[in-house]
Amino acid sequence: MPFTLATWNINSVRLRAPIVCKLLSEEAPDILCLQECKSPVDKIPVDDFAALGYTHMIARGQKGYNGVAILSKLPIEDIGDQDFAGLGHARHVAGRLENGTIIHNFYVPAGGDVPDRNVNEKFGQKLDYLSEMRDWFHGDKPRKSILVGDLNIAPREDDVWSHKQLLKVVSHTPVEVEAFADVMAAGDWADVTRNDIPDGQLYSWWSYRARDWDTADKGRRLDHVWATPDIASAAHSSRILRPVRGWEKPSDHAPVFASFDL
């Protein structure tokens, strides 16, 4: 069963419903995973998405913060969520397709501005969240699974605009990159995007603070698509839709796509 999947931090699904619909209309992925929906589940504009063929949704939400959703043309079964680090946040949901493929949609905490858990509680929460993800995958090794989402870490030197200048900036610090690698190793996850696009600068996020984000191009690859080894070779056609960052009232993230022949 071939299908195309996309992941996108939408930064308010209700505010940006028009560009979600634009993406669904123009690109038509079979599955779209959204993060930072900032909405209770019952307020997500499901009718707008269903009108475009996305008649299945599983989601976890909360008012004003966090929130994850999986919109799908394909039947998908809700198989639960995890509350890592005991934050009580809507940051994970998992679904199973009819062919048995499991899809995890994650929104890892951003971690605040100071990369020191002793002075910044949010950074400590981020590290704890990643540690518990690692332990979960160690204890329950995933199979036939895809993990996507805004993981809020740009791990490689070419996943940021300046490795040297961002070494002390949250999202690219060595302690975060090490934690990211530990989570990947615990589940034997493969980086689908970089398997397809192994070389060169690659970004999925550009700050709203930049006066001209496109020209400045100070991006980071914070959004990821992973797969377990048993299906990683079936993944292909990865791409990041950079132009979407320039749409009207955009998110500060661009959607990341991959296709699977399963």
Side-chain angles (χ1 to χ4, degrees):
M1 183 185 78
F3 61 89
T4 296
L5 173 149
T7 180
W8 192 11
N9 177 316
I10 194 58
N11 190 18
S12 177
V13 68
R14 287 187 284 172
L15 178 63
R16 303 190 210 286
I19 63 171
V20 174
C21 290
K22 178 177 169 68
L23 185 83
L24 296 177
S25 297
E26 294 184 0
E27 300 294 335
D30 297 290
I31 300 160
L32 174 61
C33 297
L34 298 172
Q35 303 88 38
E36 205 172 353
C37 294
K38 295 182 175 178
S39 174
V41 173
D42 63 357
K43 299 293 185 182
I44 295 174
V46 290
D47 291 344
D48 294 350
F49 309 142
L52 296 169
Y54 296 82
T55 53
H56 305 275
M57 182 185 80
I58 60 175
R60 300 293 185 271
Q62 59 190 110
K63 184 179 180 180
Y65 298 94
N66 310 312
V68 286
I70 302 176
L71 311 178
S72 181
K73 292 181 175 180
L74 309 172
I76 187 166
E77 175 191 1
D78 188 331
I79 60 169
D81 59 78
Q82 297 291 323
D83 179 24
F84 293 118
L87 299 176
H89 296 174
R91 292 187 175 275
H92 170 255
V93 70
R96 183 186 291 114
L97 300 176
E98 288 185 321
N99 70 356
T101 303
I102 292 172
I103 297 173
H104 293 280
N105 183 14
F106 274 97
Y107 177 40
V108 170
D113 295 326
V114 181
D116 182 346
R117 69 180 306 149
N118 294 317
V119 297
N120 174 16
E121 180 185 22
K122 290 182 177 180
F123 193 70
Q125 291 174 345
K126 181 177 191 175
L127 296 181
D128 291 344
Y129 193 97
L130 293 163
S131 294
E132 293 191 18
M133 283 179 70
R134 175 201 64 201
D135 293 346
W136 189 46
F137 292 133
H138 266 309
D140 187 7
K141 193 74 74 172
R143 296 287 181 268
K144 200 175 183 182
S145 297
I146 300 166
L147 185 156
V148 305
D150 177 3
L151 305 186
N152 265 311
I153 295 172
R156 293 178 24 157
E157 292 188 16
D158 51 3
D159 287 337
V160 295
W161 65 274
S162 172
H163 169 62
K164 184 176 180 180
Q165 290 175 260
L166 269 67
L167 276 172
K168 295 182 180 181
V169 174
V170 173
S171 78
H172 192 61
T173 66
V175 66
E176 291 170 275
V177 171
E178 181 179 359
F180 182 97
D182 288 345
V183 174
M184 287 196 80
D188 294 329
W189 295 103
D191 184 341
V192 168
T193 309
R194 278 303 193 179
N195 283 353
D196 282 348
I197 311 169
D199 302 313
Q201 306 290 126
L202 197 62
Y203 315 138
S204 64
W205 174 89
W206 295 261
S207 174
Y208 286 133
R209 296 174 184 174
R211 185 171 299 175
D212 184 346
W213 70 272
D214 194 29
T215 299
D217 201 23
K218 293 184 176 181
R220 307 176 203 173
R221 186 172 73 104
L222 303 180
D223 305 272
H224 300 270
V225 179
W226 296 353
T228 49
D230 50 351
I231 62 170
S233 62
H236 60 92
S237 304
S238 295
R239 56 199 175 105
I240 298 177
L241 270 64
R242 179 187 175 112
V244 173
R245 176 62 177 82
W247 285 1
E248 186 175 356
K249 295 182 180 177
S251 168
D252 45 358
H253 294 252
V256 182
F257 279 66
S259 294
F260 293 82
D261 294 335
L262 294 172

